[in-house]
Amino acid sequence: MGRTLSVTKSGDLEILMTRSFDAPRTLVFDAWTKPDLVRRWFGPRDWEVVECEIDLRVGGGWRYLLRQDGGAEMLLQGVYQEIDRPERLVSLETNEDCDASEGQALATLTLVEHGGVTTLTQVVRYASERIRDAVLESGMERGVGEGFDKLAEVVATPERAGTR
C-alpha cells in the first residue's frame, strides 16, 4: 500500500481506508492518542483543531472541535471500545448532524509495522448504507487525505513529533 490514501466501500455499511507512513507504529499510535499531536494533523488543511480532549481508556472518550478558516465548525467525538497499544483502537463515533439511531459509527483502527513503515487501516461501519454513502459524498475522502498528509509530516521524524 502506498503513501496515498485509499478509500473503498466494503460490504453495504463500511468504508475501508488505508495509508502507509514512514514511521514506527508507536509514533503513529501516539499521533492518534495525544492531544498535542492530534492538534497538528487532524482534519483538512483549511481546518484547525481548536479543542481536543482525549481520555484514553476503554469507556473514555475523545472530542475534537474543528474550525474552518471561514468560521464553520465541526464537532467529532467518540467513546473508546477497545485499546490495544500500539496496534488497535476501536471507538464508537457519534455525529451530531445525524439522528441518534443513524448517527453512530464503529471505527476500527489497525496499525501494522514492517521495516519502519506503518500501514494504517481504518474500517468505519455505519448504521445504514444511506449514511455511509452520504459520508463518502460529503468530501470526507479529501479531508481525511489532507489530514493523513499532515500526519505523515508530523511523524516523519521523532523530533518533529515532539518525542525523543
Side-chain angles (χ1 to χ4, degrees):
M1 192 53 53
R3 303 302 190 273
T4 58
L5 175 66
S6 168
V7 177
T8 57
K9 291 181 181 180
S10 177
D12 293 334
L13 302 176
E14 295 177 345
I15 296 173
L16 171 65
M17 296 175 276
T18 48
R19 164 81 192 255
S20 292
F21 299 91
D22 292 317
R25 72 178 177 175
T26 55
L27 184 54
V28 178
F29 187 92
D30 285 349
W32 275 82
T33 58
K34 293 185 176 182
D36 57 323
L37 295 176
V38 171
R39 283 186 188 93
R40 293 174 54 191
W41 72 267
F42 194 88
R45 292 207 182 271
D46 58 341
W47 290 75
E48 177 186 4
V49 178
V50 294
E51 292 179 24
C52 180
E53 300 168 9
I54 296 175
D55 180 7
L56 189 61
R57 60 182 175 84
V58 173
W62 57 267
R63 181 181 180 278
Y64 311 151
L65 179 64
L66 286 74
R67 186 170 297 133
Q68 192 177 32
D69 291 343
E73 291 187 342
M74 177 174 33
L75 177 64
L76 303 166
Q77 55 193 353
V79 176
Y80 293 110
Q81 307 296 302
E82 182 181 332
I83 300 167
D84 185 6
R85 184 181 201 284
E87 65 185 66
R88 185 173 160 94
L89 282 173
V90 179
S91 64
L92 187 61
E93 301 180 354
T94 56
N95 183 337
E96 62 181 12
D97 293 336
C98 299
D99 65 51
S101 63
E102 290 191 325
Q104 293 189 327
L106 187 66
T108 302
L109 176 79
T110 306
L111 302 172
V112 177
E113 181 182 350
H114 293 290
V117 174
T118 298
T119 300
L120 176 154
T121 303
Q122 187 171 38
V123 178
V124 185
R125 182 176 182 83
Y126 294 90
S128 72
E129 186 174 2
R130 182 182 67 78
I131 294 296
R132 190 257 336 251
D133 291 348
V135 168
L136 284 169
E137 293 167 11
S138 73
M140 177 276 299
E141 185 171 353
R142 178 190 69 87
V144 172
E146 289 181 7
F148 282 8
D149 288 346
K150 293 189 299 183
L151 174 57
E153 295 164 10
V154 168
V155 299
T157 65
E159 294 77 24
R160 290 188 68 192
T163 60
R164 294 193 190 340

